[in-house]
Amino acid sequence: MTNPWLEIPLADYESHMSLPAIAQAEMLAVQFSDALRRFSPESVAVIGCAGGNGFDGIPPETKRVVGVDINPDYIASASFRYHGRIPGLEFHVADIGSGPLPFCPVDLIYAALVFEYVPLPAALGNLSRVCRPDGRLVTVLQHPSPHVHAVSPSPYTSVQALVPLMRLISPGELAGCAAASGFDLESEQALVLKSGKEFTVQVYRHAVG
Ligand SMILES: C[S@@+](CC[C@H](N)C(=O)[O-])C[C@H]1O[C@@H](n2cnc3c(N)ncnc32)[C@H](O)[C@@H]1O
């Protein structure tokens, strides 16, 4: 089966996430910016970077920025938007759930709303190999809820193709798998959007070299 992420036009995805009733694009960009401010990494990788949401907020002190996504069209758009505007920028089309990732280790990995679509142990093992010792992994997870749709209804119906692939996981499940790959949970914070959707932001420290 083709991964549905390969079939969703970036314009549909970005329009869906930016709808005022959904408002997830802004939340994800704010979390990324907060992580950059908190850890001041020299190098950062954004896993599932789509079209580069939040890249506008990367400070000039960040020397190396790696964007990774499974969808080559998303990477092409992100590259078109940001090459020449952010120093030390590299993009990779890669599936974090299969095989080693093609870039050198970084100080901070930001992985927001991507673990819902991948085999956790394989993905975390691959991320462990590209995170420096004492580096951080910052994650955003969406909570399961009986009251809100996992994928919000919107005029951008192509996004509904994600429903069969999406598996909402608990912060505890992620923490257990992350620990097995050398990521120790350092802090976590709950977020609730006006839509009623709930999220958890977790920060992990990479304890192994
Ligand atoms: C919900 S979006 C993430 C949010 C995005 N960071 C933002 O701020 O809009 C999930 C992203 O992960 C990518 N993705 C899904 N599965 C992936 C995989 N196995 N490997 C790499 N990227 C993947 C999708 O193509 C999509 O761009």
Side-chain angles (χ1 to χ4, degrees), residues 3 5 13 17 25 28-29 46-50 53 68-71 74 94-97 110 112-114 117-118:
N3 188 315
W5 276 111
Y13 169 68
M17 294 291 270
L28 295 173
V46 182
I47 307 300
C49 66
N53 181 36
V68 178
D69 206 283
I70 196 170
N71 186 317
Y74 293 6
D95 177 352
I96 64 159
Y110 181 63
L113 303 187
V114 68
Y117 306 102
V118 296

Side-chain angles (χ1 to χ4, degrees), residues 44-66:
V44 61
V46 182
I47 307 300
C49 66
N53 181 36
F55 279 39
D56 285 318
I58 295 173
E61 304 78 64
T62 314
K63 303 271 181 287
R64 199 170 136 243
V65 177
V66 182

Side-chain angles (χ1 to χ4, degrees), residues 99-101 103-105 122 124-132 183 206:
L101 294 168
F103 60 92
C104 296
L124 286 159
N126 289 328
L127 293 181
S128 174
R129 285 184 276 278
V130 291
C131 189
R132 290 205 171 126
F183 290 109
H206 195 219

